[in-house]
């Protein structure tokens, strides 16, 4: 599919467990298209984190194909997988993982500088992202000086600073109160819709899940519509 940012085809993931084998994913399939937000709502222990790790090229499946931005990552060497992950995938977690010694702006600039962008361009893009997410006035503040919602918006800005085609979010509002969670979700939703970014969002928040384009779950190792 030409506009698919992520395709998981027949993904199996097995782990050794004592003398036996634990079958976590049993042929899971999922497509997330550009400009689409897909909620992944599943109980703990069903393979949700494993699916995200595989989609993010952080873990190799036992079998199956992982296609990111039209690139089949299944047979890539580690260096090529790392490059594809760096250039096409952004990650947001429940806890922001911002670097405490750097300002909000610097946290957003860092991944761009690592990717080789000139400092002035990284600065300008960081300013644009902060302004877009309505925290431009907090650019000079370090994470400890920011509220939980502000920290998470900086984390979102950092995740999309290098213009990935796919965003993977693992409980991005799970550590926030309902009102702040709603505001952070609105910022994320606006980014997805206006940039054409594709997003796969794991969440336990059913209200937020209902606001996304689709909602899927994991059942007996397979991805099914919820």
């Amino acid at each position: 599919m030409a506009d698919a940012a992520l395709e998981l085809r027949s993904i199996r993931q097995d782990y050794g467990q004592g003398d036996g084998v634990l079958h976590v994913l049993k042929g899971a399939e999922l497509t997330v298209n550009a400009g689409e937000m897909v909620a992944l709502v599943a109980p703990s222990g069903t393979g949700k984190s494993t699916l995200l790790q595989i989609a993010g090229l952080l873990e190799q499946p036992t079998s199956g194909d992982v296609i990111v931005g039209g690139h089949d990552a299944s047979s890539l060497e580690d260096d090529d997988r790392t490059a594809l992950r760096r250039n096409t995938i952004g990650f947001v977690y429940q806890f922001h993982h911002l670097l405490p010694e750097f300002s909000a702006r610097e946290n957003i600039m860092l991944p761009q500088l690592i990717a080789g962008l000139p400092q002035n361009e990284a600065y300008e893009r960081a300013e644009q992202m902060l302004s877009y997410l309505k925290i431009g006035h907090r650019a000079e503040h370090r994470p400890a000086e920011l509220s939980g919602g502000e920290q998470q918006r900086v984390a979102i800005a950092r995740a999309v600073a290098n213009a990935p085609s796919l965003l993977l979010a693992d409980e991005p509002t799970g550590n926030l109160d309902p009102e702040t969670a709603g505001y952070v979700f609105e910022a994320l939703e606006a980014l997805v819709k206006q940039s054409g970014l594709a997003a796969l969002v794991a969440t336990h928040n059913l209200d937020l899940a209902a606001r996304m384009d689709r909602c899927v779950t994991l059942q007996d190792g397979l991805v099914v519509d919820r």
Side-chain angles (χ1 to χ4, degrees):
M1 188 177 297
D3 57 352
L6 171 68
E7 292 180 83
L8 302 179
R9 299 176 181 171
S10 303
I11 299 295
R12 299 187 62 87
Q13 190 66 305
D14 305 326
Y15 298 106
Q17 189 178 53
D19 295 331
V21 177
L22 177 64
H23 304 288
V24 177
L25 299 175
K26 306 175 184 178
E29 303 209 345
L30 176 66
T31 298
V32 184
N33 293 317
E36 182 181 37
M37 292 187 78
V38 177
L40 174 59
V41 180
S44 299
T46 56
K48 182 173 58 178
S49 294
T50 298
L51 187 76
L52 283 175
Q53 291 280 99
I54 289 172
L57 308 183
L58 295 169
E59 186 174 334
Q60 283 270 31
T62 303
S63 64
D65 298 319
V66 182
I67 300 165
V68 179
H71 301 279
D72 189 345
S74 308
S75 58
L76 293 179
E77 298 293 331
D78 285 346
D79 286 350
D80 293 328
R81 284 172 62 87
T82 298
L84 182 59
R85 182 170 62 247
R86 183 177 62 239
N87 295 330
T88 61
I89 304 174
F91 297 89
V92 179
Y93 301 98
Q94 179 174 350
F95 299 100
H96 55 77
H97 298 298
L98 298 174
L99 297 174
E101 66 272 29
F102 294 103
S103 69
R105 182 194 294 114
E106 290 167 337
N107 266 281
I108 300 168
M109 289 176 65
L110 279 171
Q112 301 178 73
L113 297 174
I114 291 170
L117 203 68
Q119 185 168 340
N120 63 323
E121 292 185 32
Y123 183 98
E124 287 299 323
R125 181 158 178 79
E127 287 289 290
Q128 290 171 4
M129 295 302 303
L130 287 165
S131 176
Y132 185 83
L133 293 172
K134 300 180 181 178
I135 46 173
H137 61 294
R138 307 292 271 167
E140 298 288 347
H141 291 73
R142 295 186 179 184
E145 301 171 306
L146 303 174
S147 70
E150 289 170 340
Q151 291 171 347
Q152 199 64 318
R153 276 180 277 165
V154 173
I156 290 170
R158 180 184 58 185
V160 301
N162 283 334
S165 58
L166 173 66
L167 182 70
L168 301 175
D170 191 0
E171 298 290 348
T173 63
N175 202 35
L176 304 173
D177 64 81
E179 183 177 354
T180 305
Y183 193 86
V184 169
F185 177 80
E186 287 173 6
L188 181 58
E189 183 180 39
L191 274 175
V192 169
K193 298 306 178 186
Q194 295 191 24
S195 68
L197 183 68
L200 176 61
V201 183
T203 182
H204 283 105
N205 189 322
L206 297 182
D207 291 334
L208 294 186
R211 293 166 59 180
M212 299 189 214
D213 298 304
R214 284 192 289 136
C215 187
V216 299
T217 189
L218 284 164
Q219 184 174 308
D220 195 28
L222 301 175
V223 177
V224 297
D225 291 335
R226 185 180 167 88

